[in-house]
Amino acid sequence: MGMNDDRWDYIQQYSREIFGRQDAHLAGLMDEAVQAGLPNIAVSADVGRLLMMLTSMTRGQLAIELGTLGGYSGIWLARGLKTNGRLITIEREPAHADFAQAQFERADVADRVEIRRGVALEVLPQLADELGPDSVDVVFIDAVKIEYAQYWRIVRPLIAPGGLVMADNVLGGGDGSIKDIGHEQRDAVDTFNRLVADDPDFEAVVVPLRQGVIVGRRKNN
Ligand SMILES: C[S@@+](CC[C@H](N)C(=O)[O-])C[C@H]1O[C@@H](n2cnc3c(N)ncnc32)[C@H](O)[C@@H]1O
Protein backbone atom coordinates (compact mmCIF):
# COMPACT_ATOMS: atom_id res chain seq x y z
CA MET A 1 0.00 0.00 0.00
CA GLY A 2 1.52 3.33 -1.05
CA MET A 3 1.51 6.41 1.16
CA ASN A 4 0.70 9.42 -1.00
CA ASP A 5 0.34 12.93 0.45
CA ASP A 6 -3.47 12.77 0.66
CA ARG A 7 -3.38 9.53 2.59
CA TRP A 8 -0.67 10.86 4.88
CA ASP A 9 -2.64 14.07 5.57
CA TYR A 10 -5.74 11.99 6.31
CA ILE A 11 -3.84 9.83 8.79
CA GLN A 12 -2.48 12.89 10.62
CA GLN A 13 -5.95 14.42 10.77
CA TYR A 14 -7.44 11.12 11.92
CA SER A 15 -4.84 10.81 14.67
CA ARG A 16 -5.68 14.27 15.97
CA GLU A 17 -9.39 13.58 15.84
CA ILE A 18 -9.22 10.28 17.73
CA PHE A 19 -6.19 10.82 19.98
CA GLY A 20 -6.15 14.61 20.33
CA ARG A 21 -8.73 15.12 23.08
CA GLN A 22 -7.86 18.00 25.36
CA ASP A 23 -9.50 20.23 27.95
CA ALA A 24 -10.98 23.62 27.07
CA HIS A 25 -7.95 25.53 28.37
CA LEU A 26 -5.48 23.61 26.19
CA ALA A 27 -7.88 23.72 23.22
CA GLY A 28 -7.94 27.53 23.30
CA LEU A 29 -4.38 28.19 24.47
CA MET A 30 -2.68 28.60 21.12
CA ASP A 31 -5.47 30.82 19.74
CA GLU A 32 -4.90 33.12 22.69
CA ALA A 33 -1.15 32.89 22.19
CA VAL A 34 -1.47 33.94 18.56
CA GLN A 35 -3.66 36.89 19.57
CA ALA A 36 -0.91 37.87 22.00
CA GLY A 37 1.62 37.82 19.14
CA LEU A 38 3.23 34.39 19.67
CA PRO A 39 3.86 32.17 16.64
CA ASN A 40 1.53 29.20 16.10
CA ILE A 41 4.21 26.52 16.37
CA ALA A 42 3.23 24.41 19.37
CA VAL A 43 3.01 20.63 19.19
CA SER A 44 -0.39 19.13 18.34
CA ALA A 45 -2.67 17.61 20.96
CA ASP A 46 -1.81 14.02 20.02
CA VAL A 47 1.90 14.84 20.42
CA GLY A 48 1.07 16.51 23.74
CA ARG A 49 -0.63 13.33 24.90
CA LEU A 50 2.42 11.31 23.83
CA LEU A 51 4.66 13.60 25.92
CA MET A 52 2.37 13.23 28.94
CA MET A 53 2.01 9.46 28.65
CA LEU A 54 5.71 8.77 28.18
CA THR A 55 6.65 11.13 31.03
CA SER A 56 4.22 9.27 33.30
CA MET A 57 6.04 6.00 32.47
CA THR A 58 9.33 7.32 33.94
CA ARG A 59 10.17 8.08 37.58
CA GLY A 60 8.50 11.41 36.78
CA GLN A 61 10.63 13.46 39.18
CA LEU A 62 12.47 15.87 36.90
CA ALA A 63 11.90 17.01 33.31
CA ILE A 64 13.62 19.65 31.18
CA GLU A 65 12.08 21.33 28.15
CA LEU A 66 13.98 23.43 25.62
CA GLY A 67 11.60 25.94 24.02
CA THR A 68 8.59 26.88 26.19
CA LEU A 69 6.66 29.09 23.75
CA GLY A 70 3.22 29.60 25.37
CA GLY A 71 3.41 26.66 27.76
CA TYR A 72 1.27 24.26 25.67
CA SER A 73 3.66 21.28 25.61
CA GLY A 74 4.90 22.21 29.11
CA ILE A 75 1.41 21.69 30.54
CA TRP A 76 1.22 18.22 28.97
CA LEU A 77 4.69 17.35 30.34
CA ALA A 78 3.84 18.70 33.80
CA ARG A 79 0.68 16.57 33.86
CA GLY A 80 2.79 13.46 33.24
CA LEU A 81 5.03 14.10 36.27
CA LYS A 82 4.50 12.45 39.63
CA THR A 83 2.92 14.67 42.33
CA ASN A 84 6.26 15.96 43.61
CA GLY A 85 7.85 16.14 40.14
CA ARG A 86 9.32 19.28 38.60
CA LEU A 87 9.64 20.69 35.07
CA ILE A 88 12.32 23.22 34.17
CA THR A 89 11.53 24.84 30.82
CA ILE A 90 13.94 27.15 28.98
CA GLU A 91 12.76 30.12 26.90
CA ARG A 92 14.68 32.92 25.22
CA GLU A 93 11.80 35.31 24.47
CA PRO A 94 10.54 37.23 27.54
CA ALA A 95 7.05 37.70 26.02
CA HIS A 96 6.73 33.93 25.49
CA ALA A 97 7.91 33.21 29.02
CA ASP A 98 5.44 35.74 30.50
CA PHE A 99 2.55 34.26 28.52
CA ALA A 100 3.56 30.71 29.50
CA GLN A 101 3.82 31.60 33.19
CA ALA A 102 0.20 32.77 33.16
CA GLN A 103 -0.86 29.53 31.43
CA PHE A 104 0.99 27.35 33.96
CA GLU A 105 -0.87 29.16 36.73
CA ARG A 106 -4.20 28.74 34.96
CA ALA A 107 -3.53 25.03 34.41
CA ASP A 108 -2.69 24.68 38.11
CA VAL A 109 0.81 23.33 37.44
CA ALA A 110 2.81 26.48 38.30
CA ASP A 111 3.97 24.93 41.58
CA ARG A 112 5.86 22.28 39.62
CA VAL A 113 7.08 24.31 36.63
CA GLU A 114 10.00 26.73 36.59
CA ILE A 115 10.77 28.84 33.51
CA ARG A 116 14.46 29.57 33.01
CA ARG A 117 14.72 32.65 30.86
CA GLY A 118 17.64 32.73 28.47
CA VAL A 119 19.36 31.13 25.51
CA ALA A 120 19.36 27.33 25.73
CA LEU A 121 23.06 26.89 25.00
CA GLU A 122 23.89 29.28 27.86
CA VAL A 123 21.31 28.03 30.35
CA LEU A 124 21.94 24.31 29.77
CA PRO A 125 25.57 24.17 30.99
CA GLN A 126 24.54 25.97 34.21
CA LEU A 127 21.67 23.54 34.61
CA ALA A 128 24.01 20.59 34.01
CA ASP A 129 26.29 21.79 36.85
CA GLU A 130 23.32 22.32 39.09
CA LEU A 131 21.54 19.01 38.44
CA GLY A 132 24.46 16.63 37.87
CA PRO A 133 24.66 13.37 35.92
CA ASP A 134 21.86 10.75 35.87
CA SER A 135 19.36 13.14 37.46
CA VAL A 136 16.79 13.89 34.73
CA ASP A 137 13.87 11.65 33.75
CA VAL A 138 12.70 13.47 30.62
CA VAL A 139 14.29 15.94 28.23
CA PHE A 140 12.04 17.44 25.55
CA ILE A 141 13.93 19.35 22.87
CA ASP A 142 11.95 21.90 20.83
CA ALA A 143 14.10 25.02 20.44
CA VAL A 144 16.58 25.78 17.61
CA LYS A 145 16.70 22.84 15.18
CA ILE A 146 20.29 23.42 14.01
CA GLU A 147 21.40 23.24 17.66
CA TYR A 148 19.84 19.84 18.41
CA ALA A 149 23.17 17.97 18.35
CA GLN A 150 24.73 20.55 20.68
CA TYR A 151 21.81 20.22 23.09
CA TRP A 152 22.18 16.44 22.95
CA ARG A 153 25.86 16.54 23.95
CA ILE A 154 24.97 18.60 27.04
CA VAL A 155 21.81 16.79 28.15
CA ARG A 156 22.86 13.20 27.41
CA PRO A 157 24.92 12.74 30.62
CA LEU A 158 22.07 14.20 32.68
CA ILE A 159 19.54 11.55 31.65
CA ALA A 160 18.98 8.92 34.33
CA PRO A 161 18.85 5.19 33.51
CA GLY A 162 15.32 4.57 32.25
CA GLY A 163 14.99 8.26 31.39
CA LEU A 164 13.88 9.66 28.05
CA VAL A 165 14.99 12.13 25.45
CA MET A 166 12.24 13.36 23.12
CA ALA A 167 12.53 15.99 20.38
CA ASP A 168 10.02 17.52 17.98
CA ASN A 169 10.42 18.16 14.23
CA VAL A 170 12.84 15.31 13.63
CA LEU A 171 11.17 14.41 10.30
CA GLY A 172 10.53 17.98 9.21
CA GLY A 173 9.65 21.48 10.30
CA GLY A 174 8.65 24.77 8.74
CA ASP A 175 8.54 24.16 5.00
CA GLY A 176 11.20 21.46 4.90
CA SER A 177 11.24 17.74 5.45
CA ILE A 178 13.81 15.06 6.18
CA LYS A 179 13.86 14.37 2.41
CA ASP A 180 15.56 17.75 1.75
CA ILE A 181 19.15 16.50 1.90
CA GLY A 182 21.64 19.38 1.85
CA HIS A 183 19.33 21.82 3.64
CA GLU A 184 21.14 23.11 6.75
CA GLN A 185 18.32 22.54 9.22
CA ARG A 186 17.45 19.12 7.81
CA ASP A 187 21.06 17.96 7.93
CA ALA A 188 21.48 19.19 11.51
CA VAL A 189 18.38 17.27 12.61
CA ASP A 190 19.61 14.21 10.70
CA THR A 191 22.92 14.39 12.60
CA PHE A 192 21.01 14.56 15.88
CA ASN A 193 18.74 11.62 14.96
CA ARG A 194 21.76 9.48 14.11
CA LEU A 195 23.59 10.43 17.32
CA VAL A 196 20.65 9.27 19.42
CA ALA A 197 19.88 6.19 17.29
CA ASP A 198 23.52 5.05 17.32
CA ASP A 199 24.18 5.73 21.01
CA PRO A 200 24.93 2.34 22.59
CA ASP A 201 23.40 3.45 25.89
CA PHE A 202 20.05 4.38 24.33
CA GLU A 203 17.22 2.69 22.44
CA ALA A 204 15.50 5.09 20.07
CA VAL A 205 12.60 5.23 17.65
CA VAL A 206 10.76 7.94 15.75
CA VAL A 207 7.00 8.39 16.20
CA PRO A 208 5.74 9.90 12.92
CA LEU A 209 3.07 12.14 14.46
CA ARG A 210 2.89 15.65 12.99
CA GLN A 211 6.51 16.49 12.10
CA GLY A 212 8.03 13.50 13.86
CA VAL A 213 8.98 12.99 17.50
CA ILE A 214 12.08 11.01 18.40
CA VAL A 215 11.86 8.97 21.59
CA GLY A 216 15.12 7.70 23.05
CA ARG A 217 15.33 5.77 26.33
CA ARG A 218 18.52 5.35 28.30
CA LYS A 219 19.05 1.67 29.01
CA ASN A 220 18.94 0.57 32.61
CA ASN A 221 22.37 -1.10 32.73
C1 LIG B 1 8.69 25.44 18.58
S1 LIG B 1 8.59 26.63 19.84
C2 LIG B 1 8.28 25.63 21.26
C3 LIG B 1 6.90 25.06 21.27
C4 LIG B 1 6.51 24.45 22.60
N1 LIG B 1 7.45 23.41 22.98
C5 LIG B 1 5.14 23.85 22.48
O1 LIG B 1 5.00 22.83 21.77
O2 LIG B 1 4.19 24.37 23.09
C6 LIG B 1 10.25 27.11 20.09
C7 LIG B 1 10.45 28.09 21.23
O3 LIG B 1 11.85 28.14 21.49
C8 LIG B 1 12.22 29.48 21.75
N2 LIG B 1 13.63 29.60 21.40
C9 LIG B 1 14.16 29.86 20.17
N3 LIG B 1 15.50 29.88 20.25
C10 LIG B 1 15.82 29.62 21.55
C11 LIG B 1 17.04 29.50 22.23
N4 LIG B 1 18.22 29.63 21.61
N5 LIG B 1 17.00 29.25 23.56
C12 LIG B 1 15.81 29.11 24.21
N6 LIG B 1 14.62 29.22 23.59
C13 LIG B 1 14.62 29.47 22.29
C14 LIG B 1 11.30 30.29 20.86
O4 LIG B 1 11.21 31.63 21.35
C15 LIG B 1 10.00 29.51 20.95
O5 LIG B 1 9.21 30.00 21.98
Side-chain angles (χ1 to χ4, degrees), residues 40-100:
N40 195 7
I41 51 175
V43 298
S44 50
D46 49 0
V47 171
R49 171 160 288 99
L50 178 73
L51 298 177
M52 180 182 74
M53 285 177 61
L54 292 178
T55 299
S56 74
M57 292 174 194
T58 69
R59 290 184 315 188
Q61 297 298 304
L62 182 56
I64 297 176
E65 176 181 53
L66 280 60
T68 315
L69 189 65
Y72 182 82
S73 54
I75 293 171
W76 283 105
L77 286 164
R79 287 180 177 167
L81 293 167
K82 301 290 187 283
T83 350
N84 54 349
R86 174 160 87 102
L87 167 68
I88 300 171
T89 178
I90 304 173
E91 175 56 53
R92 181 186 66 183
E93 296 296 332
H96 297 186
D98 290 345
F99 182 92

Side-chain angles (χ1 to χ4, degrees), residues 8 12 19 21 72 104 111-112 159 168 177 186 199:
W8 184 245
Q12 295 290 322
F19 302 104
R21 264 175 296 111
Y72 182 82
F104 292 140
D111 58 336
R112 64 179 71 172
I159 300 174
D168 193 29
S177 95
R186 177 267 171 211
D199 192 307

Side-chain angles (χ1 to χ4, degrees), residues 144-172:
V144 183
K145 311 309 160 196
I146 56 171
E147 294 179 354
Y148 273 22
Q150 287 164 278
Y151 300 153
W152 171 242
R153 290 189 182 96
I154 303 172
V155 299
R156 185 196 175 284
L158 306 183
I159 300 174
L164 303 176
V165 60
M166 299 186 273
D168 193 29
N169 303 110
V170 299
L171 297 179

Side-chain angles (χ1 to χ4, degrees), residues 105-128:
E105 283 161 21
R106 203 165 137 197
D108 211 16
V109 295
D111 58 336
R112 64 179 71 172
V113 182
E114 179 194 347
I115 304 176
R116 294 275 172 114
R117 294 165 185 250
V119 171
L121 284 175
E122 290 172 11
V123 175
L124 273 177
Q126 298 160 10
L127 212 49

